[in-house]
Amino acid sequence: MTDSQSAAERIAQLRSELDDHNYRYYVLDEPSVPDAEYDRLFRELKALEAEHPELITPESPTQRVGGAAASAFGEVRHEVPMLSLGNAFEEQDLNDFDRRVREGLADQLPSSDLFGGGAEVEYSCEPKLDGLAVSLLYENGVLTRGATRGDGTTGEDISVNVRTIRNVPLRLKGEGWPAVLEVRGEVFMSKAGFDALNERQMEAGGKTFANPRNAAAGSLRQLDSKITASRPLEFCCYGFGRVEGGALPGTQVDILEALKGWGIPISRELKLARGVEGCRAYYEDIGARRDSLAYEIDGVVFKVNRIDYQRELGFRAREPRWAIAHKFPAREELTELLDVEFQVGRTGAVTPVARLKPVQVAGVTVSNATLHNMDEVARLGLMIGDTVIIRRAGDVIPQVMQVVAERRPADARPVAIPTQCPVCGSQVERTQLVKRSKGKESVSEGAIYRCVGRLFCQAQLKQAIIHFVSRRAMDIDGLGDKIVEQLVDKGLVKSPADLYTLTFEQVIELEGFAEVSTRNLLAAIADSRRPALARFVFALGIPDVGEETAKLLARSLGSLARIQKALPEVLTYLPDVGGEVAYEIHNFFDDEHNRSVIAELQNPEHGVQLQDEGEVSAEFAAVATLAGFIDKLNIPFIAATGAEKLADRTGSLDALITLSQDWLDLSTLKGVNEKAKQSVREYFADAARVERAKAVEAQLAEFGMHWRSERKVVEGLPLAGQTWVLTGTLEAMSRDVAKEKLESLGAKVAGSVSAKTHCVVAGPGAGSKLAKAQELGVAVMDEEQLIKLLADHGLGA
Ligand code: IVH
């Protein structure tokens, strides 16, 4: 066998394996190998094809990269016209459609019963994806052409572009397909793909898209198909056009299933419904799940299932009589930006809010929309008086998507950030972004503006108290937002500590309070006096410190005193705490005002007593090494291996400092280049840095974390290092409680399943996470088994 023969065989084998993986991934939604394995096969194929370019064929999975840019698209005539659909907006429209269908099929349908009930028609039900219609032509099983719908008769030739769409098969699978098969469907972008694309565009300073539909259209109709290749487009087939040299099954559902078998992706939501009632149920079901679908839909499509019935019904103008789109309420509307006001949040961030001319969007009147920050205002190019596109999806706060530039009035005004806080009048400052890298700090302007008034600012005070008392923080029952507002407005609460000195007389005076409710609230406040350390740390509202980080701080450092004085360098030893967050935490506790609030809370008069303070955890105490410490100093040109060499040679920070000052001695160090040695010299020639390094070392020693400290045996918690996932409904305990219990045994509880997941606890109703666990061979247990496991570790009910 010659070399090229064996290469040809291997190439064929790789292509068939990759096609198969693609099919499982995109069409069946059941990937059988991890991404890494797919990538490995793909790289092998690419390498072989590079060695043997004569063996490259257009259907090879490597040929989805796009080609040379074109100057214009060619024209394609649709032999079978690509039609549009009629719309139903109201229930009555759907009833009318079904009645017309039954009337049109009167001769075919079994006659009506004695009670006047007509025979029901079967409908195929599909989501109406919001993208753009394309036609794909397969000749002898090979993709030969892709076209847009255009005016329905003539479209554009986008063959090169559609080939770059990952889930479009370049060759059909299996057998039995007609020699000429034109399939039709929607090219769209998933919500996640759209968000990722916009994020990338934003980072690169490029144009962002207003919605997934525009993004899909803009990406597909690119003369440079390499750009199309880089965009997360997907295809979903909903029908067919030309069919020659073979036949398709007799119903819409069977046809789509056959196409799926040949490797063409179809909707997972395809269903068969009986009569108009069945259609309505489908509409309701999909409508209820609209927000949780991975892609945007603007309705559902009902089609008479039997193709012979479709033929009988035929067309009216440019719409089939056998299909209808039942639309959902629109989520985007046009309105006018009347003004931009500024709101002050918990951390003092002053954020712009759009005041809009009220408009109905998806059944709700919208008169405000978030604008996030001033960078967003700039990105949108927004001016007061502009006409804007507003979008409201599900429970999400309405968003301003785009300015309609053509409609800008002559008297439009720019949006200006106020120089003084609209609530307390304190100065508003732009935040600085401090980047620390390799021992250097660089400062740039951040997107956020902050009121410097802190708890003196009523807006910040209210938000801080609302957070402090919330369920996952101090959990003070019965202290809702409205009550907090009253307490602050009346001047009864000026800091969280004041909650603990509220009197019966003060509370009963508040609106809506009587004797019992007053006693209940005071009791709830008193009950919160003994929080767990993690809850208290979370309640403080440190920027960037969510519940998980608060738990981590509490579990690792063991006491508030240590958390308060921990240097940022020491905090970065915590898993998942990077430099930025470490500085946020440190700056928070370094701040005199924050310190006084904490001291006041702990003052016996207010009496907050932390429950579970203790030692630095054994795991955390064991993380620091000299080499790691040197690495953390961020000495330019000293990476992890350089740090190890320095640690091996010196054995201590003091010896390292001495070495750095001894030219001759340092030059004998092996395995570290001259530039790096010079950098070590310069680093420790700076007295401030030496002092800082010593301070960090001293703190490690004080916390019992120093590499020389006597190491406690790391007993470790029973589930330490394991990641668990909870899914479905748990009956005996809430998911929160299950999570807390698992965490107390050392497990991390994650939201998604991966090959690294240790175990999935699946209750009734578990869906995709359970399926993924089974597919990846991850252990699964039910609630009963979990209860037993917890009990075995002393965590009984
Ligand atoms: S059937 C003759 N099915 O909606 C039937 N169209 O408003 C033609 N669309 O141009 C279309 N999902 O771009 C059909 N499941 C679906 C669809 C669908 C989205 C789009 C398609 C069409 C437009 C008509």
Side-chain angles (χ1 to χ4, degrees):
M1 195 186 289
T2 68
D3 180 35
S4 103
Q5 260 176 329
S6 60
E9 278 167 20
R10 180 67 186 148
I11 283 176
Q13 187 187 5
L14 286 167
R15 284 180 190 158
S16 131
E17 268 184 52
L18 285 164
D19 282 345
D20 199 50
H21 292 319
N22 270 335
Y23 175 67
R24 286 173 178 282
Y25 186 88
Y26 290 116
V27 181
L28 302 184
D29 205 19
E30 290 167 354
S32 54
V33 293
D35 291 357
E37 170 66 4
Y38 181 92
D39 294 344
R40 197 188 60 71
L41 296 171
F42 193 87
R43 279 197 303 272
E44 186 185 343
L45 176 59
K46 265 197 98 126
L48 272 177
E49 288 182 343
E51 269 174 51
H52 302 277
E54 73 284 2
L55 296 177
I56 299 179
T57 61
E59 304 84 66
S60 171
T62 59
Q63 301 303 296
R64 290 186 186 270
V65 287
S71 55
F73 295 118
E75 270 189 6
V76 168
R77 266 193 79 74
H78 300 300
E79 284 184 32
V80 180
M82 286 182 81
L83 300 172
S84 187
L85 285 172
N87 291 321
F89 295 100
E90 315 275 331
E91 210 171 306
Q92 191 53 45
D93 301 337
L94 187 64
N95 292 339
D96 291 347
F97 163 75
D98 176 60
R99 183 180 40 74
R100 288 194 303 270
V101 165
R102 282 186 288 120
E103 283 168 5
L105 297 174
D107 296 343
Q108 273 82 2
L109 295 173
S111 55
S112 44
D113 58 35
L114 276 177
F115 305 101
E120 285 177 326
V121 177
E122 282 189 328
Y123 292 101
S124 127
C125 310
E126 302 152 31
K128 186 169 188 302
L129 290 161
D130 205 7
L132 66 163
V134 298
S135 134
L136 303 177
L137 184 65
Y138 288 89
E139 290 174 300
N140 298 316
V142 175
L143 175 67
T144 53
R145 196 196 71 190
T148 62
R149 173 168 179 268
D151 63 5
T153 317
T154 313
E156 285 170 325
D157 188 334
I158 48 160
S159 302
V160 190
N161 302 46
V162 294
R163 299 176 62 82
T164 68
I165 301 174
R166 297 288 180 280
N167 74 342
V168 166
L170 300 177
R171 177 192 283 284
L172 296 179
K173 273 174 64 69
E175 49 203 39
W177 21 263
V180 176
L181 173 64
E182 182 201 350
V183 297
R184 291 172 176 180
E186 202 83 346
V187 168
F188 66 99
M189 206 176 273
S190 69
K191 295 173 190 167
F194 166 74
D195 289 341
L197 170 61
N198 262 358
E199 210 160 289
R200 260 194 292 151
Q201 294 286 102
M202 202 121 72
E203 268 164 27
K207 163 176 174 260
T208 53
F209 296 95
N211 55 41
R213 209 202 87 78
N214 290 3
S219 300
L220 188 60
R221 295 189 64 260
Q222 282 284 340
L223 288 167
D224 182 353
S225 51
K226 290 215 165 52
I227 297 181
T228 311
S230 73
R231 302 281 171 83
L233 291 172
E234 292 172 50
F235 173 72
C236 177
C237 173
Y238 53 66
F240 59 95
R242 247 173 94 192
V243 177
E244 287 163 25
L248 295 176
T251 67
Q252 168 76 6
V253 169
D254 290 348
I255 290 173
L256 291 181
E257 292 295 351
L259 295 178
K260 177 178 175 183
W262 295 328
I264 293 174
I266 63 166
S267 174
R268 263 197 288 164
E269 305 294 342
L270 172 69
K271 290 229 162 68
L272 187 63
R274 283 189 68 82
V276 73
E277 280 311 320
C279 292
R280 215 177 339 266
Y282 183 81
Y283 177 82
E284 302 281 324
D285 171 50
I286 297 279
R289 293 190 289 121
R290 186 179 182 189
D291 287 322
S292 56
L293 293 178
Y295 41 81
E296 292 283 354
I297 55 173
D298 54 355
V300 292
V301 181
F302 302 123
K303 297 172 186 163
V304 170
N305 192 38
R306 276 175 62 161
I307 304 293
D308 56 343
Y309 285 0
Q310 291 186 4
R311 294 222 171 86
E312 175 71 25
L313 287 161
F315 298 87
R316 178 177 139 265
R318 308 201 51 75
E319 291 166 8
R321 285 205 185 88
W322 43 265
I324 196 156
H326 195 182
K327 301 286 274 263
F328 291 132
R331 302 182 136 179
E332 288 185 0
E333 293 294 345
L334 286 181
T335 190
E336 202 183 305
L337 178 68
L338 301 176
D339 200 1
V340 172
E341 287 173 10
F342 290 85
Q343 268 177 1
V344 186
R346 170 161 64 83
T347 59
V350 176
T351 47
V353 180
R355 300 287 176 229
L356 305 161
K357 190 167 160 188
V359 61
Q360 285 274 324
V361 191
V364 169
T365 307
V366 173
S367 42
N368 302 314
T370 172
L371 288 167
H372 303 292
N373 56 45
M374 289 307 281
D375 280 4
E376 174 75 357
V377 172
R379 187 184 74 75
L380 290 164
L382 194 63
M383 290 178 83
I384 296 163
D386 270 338
T387 295
V388 290
I389 300 177
I390 300 298
R391 182 180 167 75
R392 190 188 81 88
D395 296 334
V396 183
I397 305 164
Q399 309 254 340
V400 175
M401 304 307 291
Q402 215 174 28
V403 168
V404 185
E406 312 82 86
R407 296 220 200 157
R408 172 164 294 164
D411 61 351
R413 289 180 290 128
V415 179
I417 182 93
T419 51
Q420 287 179 321
C421 171
V423 178
C424 72
S426 299
Q427 208 170 316
V428 170
E429 287 179 353
R430 185 165 194 168
T431 49
Q432 309 272 296
L433 283 182
V434 185
K435 276 224 150 48
R436 294 174 184 83
S437 149
K438 290 286 154 201
K440 289 208 181 70
E441 278 191 4
S442 64
V443 180
S444 60
E445 304 225 285
I448 295 175
Y449 288 78
R450 239 183 253 284
C451 156
V452 301
R454 320 285 202 85
L455 296 190
F456 302 111
C457 174
Q458 301 249 312
Q460 292 183 56
L461 176 60
K462 283 178 188 169
Q463 293 301 320
I465 304 281
I466 289 171
H467 174 76
F468 185 81
V469 306
S470 63
R471 193 168 66 78
R472 291 168 182 276
M474 300 296 272
D475 193 18
I476 304 182
D477 213 17
L479 202 45
D481 298 4
K482 288 276 171 290
I483 302 164
V484 171
E485 279 181 20
Q486 285 192 64
L487 289 170
V488 170
D489 289 341
K490 286 189 190 304
L492 295 173
V493 168
K494 295 196 172 69
S495 111
D498 292 341
L499 292 170
Y500 295 98
T501 49
L502 284 173
T503 62
F504 184 88
E505 290 71 29
Q506 288 171 329
V507 174
I508 200 157
E509 284 296 304
L510 300 175
E511 218 178 283
F513 274 85
E515 200 164 322
V516 176
S517 46
T518 301
R519 283 193 207 292
N520 285 348
L521 178 57
L522 290 172
I525 294 175
D527 277 354
S528 75
R529 276 208 170 95
R530 296 167 166 270
L533 175 59
R535 276 185 181 274
F536 184 75
V537 171
F538 176 58
L540 293 175
I542 307 164
D544 287 346
V545 175
E547 213 184 344
E548 293 306 318
T549 308
K551 282 184 190 164
L552 191 66
L553 282 164
R555 209 183 312 142
S556 307
L557 285 163
S559 77
L560 183 63
R562 269 183 230 109
I563 298 174
Q564 271 185 285
K565 68 173 160 187
L567 294 167
E569 292 87 338
V570 172
L571 291 169
T572 60
Y573 279 105
L574 291 162
D576 299 332
V577 171
E580 305 291 328
V581 178
Y583 273 88
E584 281 287 3
I585 298 171
H586 181 70
N587 290 345
F588 181 89
F589 289 112
D590 212 23
D591 178 275
E592 211 169 309
H593 174 73
N594 293 337
R595 278 221 288 257
S596 71
V597 171
I598 296 168
E600 215 189 324
L601 278 163
Q602 293 191 292
N603 160 336
E605 191 198 343
H606 305 107
V608 172
Q609 281 178 359
L610 300 172
Q611 279 313 288
D612 49 352
E613 288 192 305
E615 294 302 308
V616 167
S617 78
E619 288 103 322
F620 190 54
V623 293
T625 61
L626 177 59
F629 176 80
I630 298 172
D631 193 23
K632 271 191 199 293
L633 294 176
N634 269 324
I635 307 170
F637 307 109
I638 297 293
T641 47
E644 255 165 50
K645 296 245 156 57
L646 287 167
D648 285 350
R649 169 72 175 267
T650 58
S652 75
L653 176 64
D654 283 339
L656 172 62
I657 296 168
T658 312
L659 176 75
S660 74
Q661 289 158 349
D662 186 329
W663 179 272
L664 262 182
D665 208 9
L666 183 61
S667 54
T668 60
L669 182 67
K670 294 218 174 58
V672 177
N673 68 30
E674 267 319 304
K675 206 163 162 186
K677 284 178 193 167
Q678 181 60 25
S679 172
V680 172
R681 265 180 218 120
E682 281 167 16
Y683 188 92
F684 289 108
D686 180 341
R689 283 182 174 154
V690 170
E691 207 178 300
R692 181 79 188 179
K694 286 187 172 174
V696 176
E697 188 194 27
Q699 185 164 81
L700 290 175
E702 182 194 337
F703 288 0
M705 294 171 64
H706 194 276
W707 43 94
R708 292 262 171 77
S709 308
E710 201 181 312
R711 288 281 145 92
K712 284 170 235 123
V713 186
V714 182
E715 284 167 358
L717 293 162
L719 309 185
Q722 299 183 3
T723 303
W724 287 57
V725 172
L726 302 168
T727 183
T729 349
L730 300 185
E731 276 147 11
M733 65 183 113
S734 72
R735 274 211 230 172
D736 278 347
V737 170
K739 183 167 181 240
E740 251 173 46
K741 290 191 171 178
L742 285 167
E743 282 171 348
S744 73
L745 295 176
K748 197 173 142 192
V749 178
S752 62
V753 179
S754 78
K756 293 205 183 100
T757 308
H758 183 80
C759 182
V760 171
V761 180
S768 60
K769 287 179 196 171
L770 174 59
K772 182 134 190 219
Q774 285 161 341
E775 174 191 308
L776 295 172
V778 169
V780 175
M781 63 168 69
D782 60 17
E783 187 176 6
E784 207 174 304
Q785 289 166 304
L786 173 68
I787 291 171
K788 181 166 181 323
L789 175 123
L790 293 173
D792 288 349
H793 289 105
L795 294 174

